[in-house]
């Protein structure tokens, strides 16, 4: 398998150096937490291999939060949602297998099936259709041998969430052809519309992937998971996990356990902070005539579009190099650079206001 390096990785703020960025609107998470926020003493932790599926208490808590009668046995921990998506793809797919995947998307959802040489059909989300998921298009694309339908909700980079009804329809279509449905719900805990249940609630063939990175603000521990009702499938996925790294990091699992134990208070704080930040962005974009957007319905990112005729190369140059402000340009998502992703959950209120003002100034400078 061959993997090209993705622009979103190469140009990411952590590769560029956080110290070079004044207004960082590239992040798709809440503000990063510190170990001190957890009040966790790890000095007595024995640095041994851990349960290959992962710490049973951590899995039990994740299952409990997912509800729907799930138990620790329905959960496998991975090194972030990224590894979860990778493990699902390499375990289920072979060259030539037919899959349907939403585009744009978080890179791994597309890149791993591509590297595996799958036969991929895309459901392209269209700005002019409100980035809405096209169920009829999915119906027209599935074949009797479709192996996987892959969706992300709330979606990155648009912030548009699927409704429970849409998820049900997607699952029904998958069941009609025997495909699995991979639901990347890494942003589920960040919905500011009522959260949909964990997607495994919709059927046996659904594989749910998520992590602590975005909504808990701890991407520096690599802790994600796969939830499935199909224990045979989870066993197969464990075999791949063991080939990659035997088990997870015991430190990450201890930290993750403590974080999930205090999920309710953290997530409440997040919801409030995200709601405030969202109001700031909405108010700004309402008066920014050089941009238009599809209002997001979850997560902490949006994907506005510049009006036609703006020189995008000069815009990003001015934004980055004159104002020290960074956003996620469209090419990070294989889209036109007229689009850019704004992450509003991570910056402080001052950074967010400064970054949005910088975008407006840069747009005017080059228009
Ligand atoms: C939709 C989505 N899925 C998965 C990931 C991977 O995140 P992590 O591996 O940190 O959990 C990301 C990261 O940006 C994402 O946006």
């Amino acid at each position: 398998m061959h993997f090209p390096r993705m622009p979103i990785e190469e140009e990411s703020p952590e590769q560029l150096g956080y110290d070079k960025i004044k207004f960082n609107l590239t992040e798709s998470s809440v503000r990063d937490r510190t170990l001190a926020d957890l009040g966790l003493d790890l000095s007595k932790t024995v640095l041994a291999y851990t349960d290959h599926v992962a710490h049973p208490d951590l899995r039990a808590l994740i299952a409990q939060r997912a509800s729907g009668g799930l138990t620790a046995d329905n959960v496998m921990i991975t090194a972030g949602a990224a590894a979860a998506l990778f493990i699902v793809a390499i375990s289920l797919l072979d060259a030539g297998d037919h899959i349907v995947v939403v585009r744009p998307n978080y890179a791994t959802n597309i890149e791993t099936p591509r590297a595996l040489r799958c036969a991929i059909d895309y459901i392209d989300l269209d700005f002019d259709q409100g980035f809405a998921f096209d169920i009829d298009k999915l119906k027209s694309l599935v074949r009797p041998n479709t192996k996987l339908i892959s969706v992300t909700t709330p979606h990155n980079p648009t912030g548009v969430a699927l409704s429970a009804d849409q998820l049900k329809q997607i699952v029904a279509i998958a069941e009609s052809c025997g495909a699995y449905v991979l639901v990347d719900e890494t942003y589920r805990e960040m919905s500011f519309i009522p959260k949909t249940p964990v997607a495994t609630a919709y059927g046996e063939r659904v594989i749910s992937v998520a992590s602590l990175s975005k909504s808990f603000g701890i991407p520096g521990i690599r802790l994600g998971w796969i939830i499935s009702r199909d224990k045979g499938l989870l066993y197969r996925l464990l075999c791949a996990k063991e080939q990659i790294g035997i088990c997870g990091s015991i430190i990450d699992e201890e930290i993750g356990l403590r974080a999930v134990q205090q999920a309710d208070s953290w997530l409440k704080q997040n919801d409030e902070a995200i709601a405030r930040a969202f109001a700031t962005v909405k108010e700004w974009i309402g008066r920014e005539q050089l941009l238009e957007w599809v209002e997001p319905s979850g997560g902490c990112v949006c994907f506005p579009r510049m009006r036609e005729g703006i020189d995008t190369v000069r815009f990003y140059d001015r934004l980055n190099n004159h104002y020290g402000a960074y956003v996620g340009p469209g090419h990070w998502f294989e889209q036109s650079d007229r689009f850019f992703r704004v992450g509003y959950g991570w910056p402080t209120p001052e950074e967010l206001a400064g970054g949005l003002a910088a975008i407006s100034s840069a747009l005017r400078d080059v228009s």
Side-chain angles (χ1 to χ4, degrees):
M1 282 200 284
H2 171 73
F3 292 95
R5 191 155 191 226
M6 309 305 295
I8 191 171
E9 310 302 350
E10 204 159 13
E11 299 168 20
S12 64
E14 61 273 19
Q15 294 304 110
L16 186 71
Y18 286 106
D19 54 324
K20 298 197 182 68
I21 304 176
K22 193 166 169 202
F23 304 114
N24 183 0
L25 272 49
T26 66
E27 306 289 348
S28 57
S29 59
V30 297
R31 194 83 180 175
D32 305 318
R33 304 263 180 177
T34 66
L35 250 187
D37 293 330
L38 290 158
L40 187 62
D41 177 8
L42 293 170
S43 58
K44 300 237 165 26
T45 304
V46 179
L47 298 176
Y49 287 123
T50 182
D51 180 319
H52 291 193
V53 191
H55 197 313
D57 296 353
L58 172 60
R59 289 189 282 120
L61 260 185
I62 289 169
Q64 192 185 319
R65 290 188 62 76
S67 71
L70 298 169
T71 71
D73 292 342
N74 296 107
V75 179
M76 183 174 86
I77 302 295
T78 56
L85 299 171
F86 186 79
I87 287 171
V88 169
I90 58 169
S91 302
L92 293 187
L93 303 173
D94 290 308
D97 281 347
H98 181 244
I99 76 160
V100 182
V101 58
V102 166
R103 180 170 63 183
N105 213 323
Y106 172 66
T108 306
N109 282 312
I110 295 179
E111 277 313 304
T112 312
R114 255 185 205 155
L116 288 162
R117 299 184 192 284
C118 291
I120 307 178
D121 274 315
Y122 298 99
I123 301 220
D124 286 307
L125 302 182
D126 181 356
F127 180 93
D128 297 310
Q129 303 301 320
F131 291 133
F133 185 88
D134 186 343
I135 293 278
D136 291 331
K137 173 95 183 174
L138 176 63
K139 279 188 194 147
S140 74
L141 290 176
V142 290
R143 308 175 192 164
N145 63 350
T146 300
K147 279 264 185 82
L148 186 74
I149 297 169
S150 168
V151 298
T152 297
T153 182
H155 182 256
N156 177 16
T158 65
V160 172
L162 293 169
S163 66
D165 195 48
Q166 284 174 309
L167 278 166
K168 277 185 206 151
Q169 291 183 59
I170 293 167
V171 173
I173 294 168
E175 282 170 351
S176 73
C177 64
Y180 284 104
V181 184
L182 172 61
V183 184
D184 179 345
E185 35 191 6
T186 299
Y187 298 89
R188 194 185 68 86
E189 298 270 27
M190 305 174 86
S191 286
F192 41 79
I193 54 164
K195 298 177 183 37
T196 44
V198 166
T200 46
Y202 299 104
E204 285 282 329
R205 309 234 11 122
V206 179
I207 304 165
S208 162
V209 163
S211 78
L212 296 181
S213 296
K214 309 298 177 180
S215 47
F216 286 73
I218 49 175
I221 65 157
R222 303 299 301 133
L223 203 136
W225 56 85
I226 299 167
I227 306 180
S228 168
R229 294 183 178 277
D230 179 343
K231 294 192 183 152
L233 171 71
L234 280 169
Y235 181 79
R236 205 165 146 192
L237 302 179
L238 172 65
C239 298
K241 175 182 172 181
E242 288 175 325
Q243 288 302 318
I244 296 169
I246 306 174
C247 60
S249 147
I250 196 156
I251 297 282
D252 289 1
E253 290 185 11
E254 289 291 343
I255 295 173
L257 175 61
R258 177 57 74 94
V260 180
Q261 281 165 344
Q262 50 198 49
D264 288 341
S265 75
W266 275 20
L267 295 177
K268 185 166 177 293
Q269 287 166 23
N270 286 354
D271 285 350
E272 289 163 5
I274 290 172
R276 280 194 297 274
F278 175 71
T280 302
V281 176
K282 187 169 172 169
E283 190 273 324
W284 165 74
I285 214 149
R287 61 187 155 76
E288 179 44 81
Q289 294 184 348
L290 297 177
L291 293 176
E292 48 192 343
W293 79 336
V294 172
E295 186 172 321
S297 45
C300 63
V301 296
C302 58
F303 204 47
R305 182 170 76 176
M306 296 176 219
R307 301 271 176 205
E308 263 177 86
I310 293 173
D311 181 335
T312 58
V313 175
R314 285 181 59 224
F315 165 76
Y316 289 110
D317 179 51
R318 190 80 183 152
L319 185 71
N320 301 163
N321 300 322
H322 183 74
Y323 294 105
Y326 283 76
V327 292
H331 69 261
W332 281 13
F333 308 95
E334 301 182 351
Q335 304 293 303
S336 149
D337 273 341
R338 276 181 68 201
F339 292 95
F340 55 88
R341 187 182 72 182
V342 173
Y344 51 84
W346 191 90
T348 62
E350 296 71 33
E351 284 164 352
L352 180 61
L356 298 177
I359 295 171
S360 289
S361 300
L363 284 168
R364 269 157 201 82
D365 294 347
V366 302
S367 296

